[in-house]
Amino acid sequence: MDPLVRCLKDLMAARAVLVTQRLAIGEPTFHLTVSEAGTPAGVLFQGELTATRPTEELAGEVRSAMRLGRIGSVDARSTLIGSLFNGEEELRTEGLFDLNASADVNFAAVELVTYSDAWMPFDLRGRAQAAVYEANAPRLELVLAELTNVLGSEMDPEDPTYFGTPTETGVVPHTDQDGTPSDSWSRYELPRRYDVFTHAPGFGNIGYRRSVTGDVRYVPVTDDRGVLGYLWASETEPAASFEPLDLDDGERYRAALTWLDRLRSAYEQGRSPCQALTELTGRSLEDTEGPLDLVALRAQGEEV
C-alpha cells in the first residue's frame, strides 16, 4: 500500500478504537511529515491536519500540497485528549496519550504512549487507587486487544520506563526490593523537572548558565497562589535562571518554565543576566513591566 495512505489509515483506525472507550475525544488533529526517498533530511510535506474527511481524500490534499519528489517515509503524530474516571466522576484529561503512526514501502507501525497512571493499581507515588484502577484499566485493556485486531499486527510492549512496565494488557507499576509499590514520582519525575532549571541544554544556543557558585541577585515571582519561585542572576558570571518552589503541580511547573523561556529570549537579545533580571522583575505572565525590588543573596560556596 502507498505509505501515505497506509500511515493515515492506521492512525485514524487506531484513533477510532480509542474513541470507543472515550480515551480519545475532540477533533482528530495530528502533525504529518512526509520525507523524501533517498534524502533523510529532505521533507516533501510537513503540517498540521484535521482528519474530518475520508483518508483517500485527505491523502490527495496532502499530495497536492507536497513538493515534487518520491515519498520515502510518512510519520503522523498526535496528542490525544481523553476522559478518565475518578471514582464515579468523568474527567476530561489533556495529553492522555501520544498516538503515532509511521509507514514506508516495507514497514508500518503504530505507537501508543500514555502519560497517566490511571491504568495501575498504585499511582506513581506508590499509593493504592483501587477505584481509579477498576474504572480505567479495563478500558485500556479492551483498546489494546482491539488495536491488534484492527491493525492486523502483534502487540510489542516497549521496555520498562522509570514509571512502569508496559504489557499487552496495560501497565504494571514498579515495586521496591521489599515488595512495596515504588514512589517513582519523587524518585524520578521531580528531579527531572528540577534539572531543567539547573542545567542548560547541552546543544545549540544554550543561553545563560543555570547554576553558579557565589553571589546572585534574586527577585520573587508570584501568581494568584503566592510565590511561584525566584528569578536570579549573577553579576560576575553569565548565569541566570528561575528557582521554582512547586514542581509537584503541573500548572505551576509549566508557568515556571515560561520564565526560562523569557530568560532565553533576553539572552538572544544580547542582555546581560542582570539586565534580563531587571527587565523581567515584577512581570506576571501577562504584564510587560513592573517595579524593581532586587535582593542580594550569598550562596556560601554552594550552587544555586
Side-chain angles (χ1 to χ4, degrees):
M1 183 184 291
D2 172 14
L4 176 58
V5 173
R6 176 63 185 274
C7 181
L8 293 174
K9 279 185 175 294
D10 283 354
L11 182 77
M12 298 317 300
R15 190 182 189 282
V17 172
L18 284 138
V19 167
T20 63
Q21 294 295 323
R22 291 187 57 76
L23 296 181
I25 57 179
E27 285 193 330
T29 59
F30 60 95
H31 184 84
L32 184 73
T33 300
V34 181
S35 300
E36 185 174 9
T39 311
V43 175
L44 301 178
F45 176 88
Q46 193 170 62
E48 300 290 331
L49 299 173
T50 301
T52 56
R53 299 174 299 287
T55 301
E56 290 77 6
E57 181 180 333
L58 186 60
E61 292 182 10
V62 171
R63 284 197 180 87
S64 67
M66 284 171 43
R67 68 178 182 84
L68 294 177
R70 184 165 61 90
I71 294 177
S73 62
V74 184
D75 183 77
R77 298 184 171 272
S78 59
T79 298
L80 304 182
I81 302 170
S83 71
L84 292 175
F85 289 96
N86 182 9
E88 297 181 355
E89 184 181 7
E90 183 177 9
L91 305 174
R92 175 187 170 95
T93 306
E94 303 278 346
L96 185 57
F97 293 101
D98 279 347
L99 176 63
N100 310 317
S102 58
D104 59 26
V105 293
N106 300 312
F107 179 79
V110 172
E111 178 185 56
L112 184 65
V113 180
T114 183
Y115 295 97
S116 174
D117 59 6
W119 334 110
M120 302 192 297
F122 299 92
D123 68 14
L124 292 182
R125 291 195 177 280
R127 300 172 300 198
Q129 52 174 9
V132 171
Y133 173 69
E134 292 169 3
N136 295 290
R139 301 164 65 206
L140 179 60
E141 184 174 357
L142 287 171
V143 161
L144 293 176
E146 184 61 17
L147 283 174
T148 61
N149 294 328
V150 169
L151 298 173
S153 61
E154 295 182 357
M155 184 74 61
D156 184 18
E158 290 287 343
D159 295 334
T161 70
Y162 286 135
F163 306 110
T165 300
T167 70
E168 293 187 355
T169 59
V171 186
V172 176
H174 293 316
T175 58
D176 294 333
Q177 290 185 346
D178 62 1
T180 60
S182 296
D183 183 357
S184 301
W185 183 263
S186 298
R187 185 174 299 166
Y188 299 113
E189 179 62 13
L190 293 183
R192 183 196 69 81
R193 289 185 174 190
Y194 187 66
D195 187 69
V196 174
F197 297 92
T198 57
H199 293 84
F203 56 90
N205 183 11
I206 66 173
Y208 307 119
R209 289 178 53 196
R210 296 182 184 175
S211 62
V212 65
T213 299
D215 294 346
V216 300
R217 291 182 177 274
Y218 72 92
V219 63
V221 173
T222 62
D223 61 12
D224 57 0
R225 292 158 62 181
V227 177
L228 178 69
Y230 297 88
L231 278 171
W232 64 263
S234 169
E235 292 186 313
T236 58
E237 300 182 45
S241 188
F242 186 81
E243 182 73 12
L245 292 187
D246 188 2
L247 293 171
D248 218 2
D249 184 282
E251 183 178 349
R252 300 195 95 202
Y253 168 63
R254 289 187 291 272
L257 290 175
T258 299
W259 293 98
L260 285 186
D261 292 338
R262 288 186 168 187
L263 285 170
R264 176 178 292 278
S265 178
Y267 176 87
E268 292 172 349
Q269 294 173 37
R271 306 290 195 269
S272 71
C274 284
Q275 285 175 329
L277 183 64
T278 299
E279 293 184 6
L280 293 176
T281 295
R283 299 184 188 178
S284 68
L285 291 180
E286 297 79 20
D287 294 337
T288 58
E289 59 184 344
L292 182 64
D293 183 19
L294 298 182
V295 181
L297 170 69
R298 178 167 297 279
Q300 296 181 342
E302 299 180 357
E303 286 193 346
V304 174

